[in-house]
């Protein structure tokens, strides 16, 4: 899972995204612009070198927008979970639940993975 984008401050990133949505900051036009804006807002963004471009989709209320994850990332995560690896949740979930993630069987981890992909694919995050 080393080819995933990493964020240190999810709150700062969420605030920056809200500014883009509200027109308070210009939406990035390139990967370099995205990195620069994230740096300027102390997001702590790490974009691995395998990423070469940026696509920004601004959803509208009248169009279903399915955002499909990268197939290799889905497969890599499934393999890691099948081998007993931990489910990769961002650390802000610890604040929400104020505890360590519960111990889960491989089947439950894979089910959670599928549910999060479904949420990510259709979620509007409003």
């Amino acid at each position: 899972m080393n080819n995933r984008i990493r964020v240190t401050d999810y709150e700062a990133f969420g605030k920056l995204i809200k500014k883009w949505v509200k027109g308070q900051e210009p939406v990035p036009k390139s990967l370099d612009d995205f990195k620069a804006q994230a740096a300027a807002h102390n997001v702590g963004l790490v974009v691995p070198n395998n990423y070469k471009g940026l696509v920004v989709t601004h959803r509208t209320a009248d169009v279903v927008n399915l955002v499909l994850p990268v197939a290799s990332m889905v497969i890599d995560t499934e393999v890691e979970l099948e081998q007993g690896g931990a489910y990769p949740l961002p650390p802000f979930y610890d604040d929400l639940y104020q505890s360590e993630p519960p111990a889960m069987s491989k089947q439950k981890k894979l089910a959670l993975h599928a549910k999060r992909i479904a949420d990510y694919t259709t979620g509007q995050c409003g």
Side-chain angles (χ1 to χ4, degrees), residues 3-61:
N3 61 344
R4 294 182 188 270
I5 293 172
R6 293 184 306 282
V7 172
T8 301
D9 190 333
Y10 282 88
E11 183 177 356
F13 191 32
K15 288 178 178 178
L16 177 57
I17 292 166
K18 286 181 178 185
K19 288 179 180 184
W20 293 332
V21 170
K22 295 175 184 177
Q24 298 168 339
E25 292 280 345
V27 175
K29 302 284 187 218
S30 68
L31 186 57
D32 287 339
D33 187 17
F34 175 53
K35 291 177 186 179
Q37 285 194 43
H41 288 84
N42 299 311
V43 168
L45 180 72
V46 177
V47 180
N49 291 333
N50 58 296
Y51 291 95
K52 305 298 182 203
L54 175 73
V55 174
V56 176
T57 303
H58 196 139
R59 296 177 177 184
T60 60

Side-chain angles (χ1 to χ4, degrees), residues 1 75-86 104-107 109-110:
M1 289 191 244
I75 293 165
D76 290 349
T77 299
E78 288 176 338
V79 168
E80 189 167 319
L81 295 176
E82 286 282 356
Q83 294 173 348
M104 289 188 277
S105 68
K106 292 176 192 175
Q107 292 76 19
K109 289 178 189 176
L110 288 166

